[in-house]
Amino acid sequence: MKKTTLPLFLALWAVMMLILGALNVDKQEIMLEGAMEAARQERMRDYREIWSGDAAEIQKPAILVGRLGNALYEYGGAAYFRIYDAEGREVDRSQMTLGMACPPGTGVYSWQIRFDAVLTPQEQVALTEKLKEDTSWVYFTGTEGGRYTGEETQGRYCEVTGVADAEREIIYPKIVRYVYEDSAKTLMISTSDFFEGKELTTLRFDAVRISSALFSRTASPEAMLRAWEEAEEKIDGMWEGFSPQVIAATSVGDRQYERLGDDIILASAYACDPLPLTVRELWPTALLTLLAAVAMAVYTDRKQRTALQRERAFSRAAAHELKTPLAVLRTHAEALREDIAPEKREAYLDTILDESDRMAALVEQLLVLSRLEASVPLERAPLELSDLVRQVWQPLELSAAQKEIAVDLALDEIWVQGDREQLHQAVGNLAANALRHCPAGRNIRVTLARENGWACLRVYNDGAPIAPEDLARLFEPFYRGDKSRSRESGGTGLGLAIVRAAALAHGGSCRAANEGEGVAFTLWLPETPRL
């Protein structure tokens, strides 16, 4: 492979992915802000519902905290809230890990188990990993019916030992155990100094559900912890430059402060790295486009190699074709400088003129082929193809008669859109090829008919069949597969190459095939309705 092909495609792919990545990062940031704004609006609705309800005033902030879930967990980010009073004093905040507990027989998850105050960040990560590995820790339900009968369950219950705040219905756990009929297992044991000098209480619950803001399907608990701590830092010192008395709805960067009522201000912030989101969204595209870039590089390299090989073969063949007449010209020209017999002088001059004409024809054919392969615009116009074929064959009747070759024309009237001069030359090359290789006394049949919307020109001549391995290469420049197609048979070796180039330039195709006792050359061109 060329050294520049694959690196060039990879560089283009990398530039494309950088542009897509930059655009996608902006998209992700807009999406995150939209998700956070939706969470803020939901919390405002929760506030109105809770503060208009019958719960005790001291319990209302805690109830709101119970609804402050991590709205960005699906994105690997953290949505963080704090509740302040009208003076700017903190009332409550989002919990990293929170349990909701149902006292026996109530059927209501009224109590909260708050882990943040009694676990270090590393312990929070470990607890989240434990919850992820075994979801039976996340939801626990006591004996069936226990929540609704008003009776304590003795067979299955959750036992929490810790510091209880009965007024707010909150317990800070030192030990959390799930007790079954014949066994028990411990969710966590805290060694925090939070409990020093405080009275411990043991409570039983029928059911418990635990949620962690560090849980995400798209990010590790460690990454979620970093996002949580970053969001917390954004809220710290929020009152710098602001007065709680005049706060309405203010946004500063990723933070927002919203006065929900006369006595409550809700502060919010979020943290989420959009780069992982961008990578997750773009990696299928990146992989597929990378494979496409490599495939295109390989394909382009092969095309370049093939084109280069064809160019070199063409150059060698052209040089060889020109070398012979040049050698003949030089030899005869040098002979003319000698004192030779007059009768030989005339023969030498005839040879020089013949070879000069041959070289001129070869150069002209090379120019025609070059224009066709370079896709030079054709002078297209509607033309009736059978009329053109007759014009080609009419001046060749004498040559056919001299070789006692019978030419049979069976031509339908078919219109095509094409360049008359180029098509005239292509049809003429087919005719000259047939006459050149048709033995004396044999037949040539030329037919023009419609085939499924194509004009099909078929030129058949009797003669020796062509080897199968040569048939596909007959339309290559200067290719002569058998001895009958030698230089002595006439022609430049470019006639059939020009036929193929003209067919392709007109949106058609051509083919050679052995048929019966001879060879048939077929040219297809798109048919055009007569105007």
Side-chain angles (χ1 to χ4, degrees), residues 106-138:
T106 64
V108 179
Y109 289 92
S110 56
W111 274 72
Q112 293 182 5
I113 307 172
R114 295 199 175 185
F115 296 84
D116 290 18
V118 301
L119 295 178
T120 65
Q122 291 71 28
E123 290 171 336
Q124 294 267 26
V125 169
L127 179 58
T128 302
E129 292 284 6
K130 191 172 185 178
L131 296 174
K132 290 178 67 175
E133 290 173 5
D134 185 355
T135 56
S136 66
W137 293 112
V138 178

Side-chain angles (χ1 to χ4, degrees), residues 5-302:
T5 305
L6 183 58
L8 176 61
F9 275 88
L10 291 179
L12 292 174
W13 171 81
V15 170
M16 180 187 72
M17 294 311 302
L18 285 174
I19 294 173
L20 287 177
L23 295 175
N24 199 272
V25 165
D26 292 339
K27 169 190 169 184
Q28 299 297 339
E29 289 177 344
I30 294 172
M31 179 186 65
L32 289 170
E33 179 56 41
M36 191 63 190
E37 180 58 30
R40 294 188 186 107
Q41 296 298 324
E42 183 67 24
R43 300 297 79 78
M44 293 177 191
R45 288 191 290 270
D46 290 338
Y47 164 78
R48 289 191 290 269
E49 177 186 337
I50 294 168
W51 260 256
S52 63
D54 298 331
E57 291 298 317
I58 195 171
Q59 293 178 343
K60 289 179 178 180
I63 296 173
L64 181 59
V65 167
R67 301 189 185 184
L68 298 181
N70 183 11
L72 301 183
Y73 77 95
E74 291 184 354
Y75 308 106
Y80 184 78
F81 295 88
R82 281 189 193 165
I83 304 170
Y84 293 88
D85 63 16
E87 302 301 321
R89 293 184 294 266
E90 182 178 330
V91 176
D92 217 327
R93 62 172 63 188
S94 292
Q95 297 295 300
M96 191 182 303
T97 306
L98 180 67
M100 301 300 296
C102 176
T106 64
V108 179
Y109 289 92
S110 56
W111 274 72
Q112 293 182 5
I113 307 172
R114 295 199 175 185
F115 296 84
D116 290 18
V118 301
L119 295 178
T120 65
Q122 291 71 28
E123 290 171 336
Q124 294 267 26
V125 169
L127 179 58
T128 302
E129 292 284 6
K130 191 172 185 178
L131 296 174
K132 290 178 67 175
E133 290 173 5
D134 185 355
T135 56
S136 66
W137 293 112
V138 178
Y139 297 100
F140 174 83
T141 303
T143 301
E144 185 176 357
R147 286 178 292 173
Y148 309 108
T149 62
E151 301 174 358
E152 281 198 27
T153 59
Q154 301 299 320
R156 291 166 59 98
Y157 56 87
C158 174
E159 183 178 85
V160 181
T161 299
V163 176
D165 182 343
E167 282 190 303
R168 299 168 64 201
E169 297 186 333
I170 295 172
I171 186 167
Y172 300 91
K174 183 175 180 63
I175 303 173
V176 177
R177 291 198 317 149
Y178 294 168
V179 180
Y180 302 88
E181 289 83 356
D182 53 0
S183 63
K185 59 180 184 178
T186 302
L187 173 64
M188 55 82 67
I189 299 177
S190 173
T191 58
S192 172
D193 56 7
F194 172 86
F195 300 102
E196 292 182 7
K198 297 175 182 172
E199 181 182 355
L200 298 181
T201 302
T202 298
L203 299 177
R204 287 185 178 182
F205 300 102
D206 270 352
V208 169
R209 62 171 183 258
I210 299 175
S211 61
S212 172
L214 306 187
F215 179 87
S216 174
R217 297 186 185 90
T218 58
S220 67
E222 292 83 359
M224 295 294 288
L225 176 62
R226 289 192 294 271
W228 182 273
E229 291 174 339
E230 182 182 345
E232 273 191 309
E233 290 176 3
K234 292 177 180 179
I235 296 296
D236 291 338
M238 63 168 285
W239 300 119
E240 294 179 7
F242 296 94
S243 170
Q245 287 75 22
V246 298
I247 284 283
T250 305
S251 295
V252 180
D254 328 32
R255 296 172 292 170
Q256 180 167 314
Y257 321 127
E258 179 79 17
R259 183 177 292 278
L260 302 184
D262 294 336
D263 56 347
I264 290 295
I265 297 171
L266 183 67
S268 60
Y270 72 93
C272 186
D273 185 358
L275 185 58
L277 296 176
T278 298
V279 172
R280 283 196 297 272
E281 182 164 324
L282 288 185
W283 80 261
T285 301
L287 179 60
L288 291 175
T289 53
L290 176 60
L291 294 175
V294 172
M296 289 177 65
V298 172
Y299 174 77
T300 301
D301 177 73
R302 289 181 178 175

